[in-house]
Amino acid sequence: MLVNYVRTALALKLNELKFDKRAVTAIEYALIAALIAVVIITAVTRLGTGVSSTFNKVASEL
């Protein structure tokens, strides 16, 4: 009797884990957000270097 109860409870919990996709979706969104952040940081760094170089060139011409 107790073995059947434990087996049924365990089967129900395993079925819940199979169909619960919220954690996987959250991880995917976190990875996408991290990738976007890396792209933005890289773009801003390169743009900042270019702008700094331009301002230094203009300052030296003055």
Side-chain angles (χ1 to χ4, degrees):
M1 177 85 177
L2 181 61
V3 173
N4 287 336
Y5 175 76
V6 171
R7 186 180 300 155
T8 304
L10 185 60
L12 288 174
K13 286 295 181 185
L14 288 175
N15 282 335
E16 286 177 16
L17 290 175
K18 283 183 188 177
F19 295 112
D20 189 12
K21 304 288 186 195
R22 290 178 293 179
V24 174
T25 303
I27 291 171
E28 289 172 351
Y29 284 137
L31 289 173
I32 291 170
L35 180 63
I36 291 171
V38 167
V39 169
I40 289 172
I41 290 169
T42 303
V44 168
T45 301
R46 288 189 180 192
L47 182 65
T49 303
V51 170
S52 176
S53 173
T54 303
F55 278 125
N56 287 335
K57 190 184 300 183
V58 169
S60 68
E61 293 291 327
L62 292 176

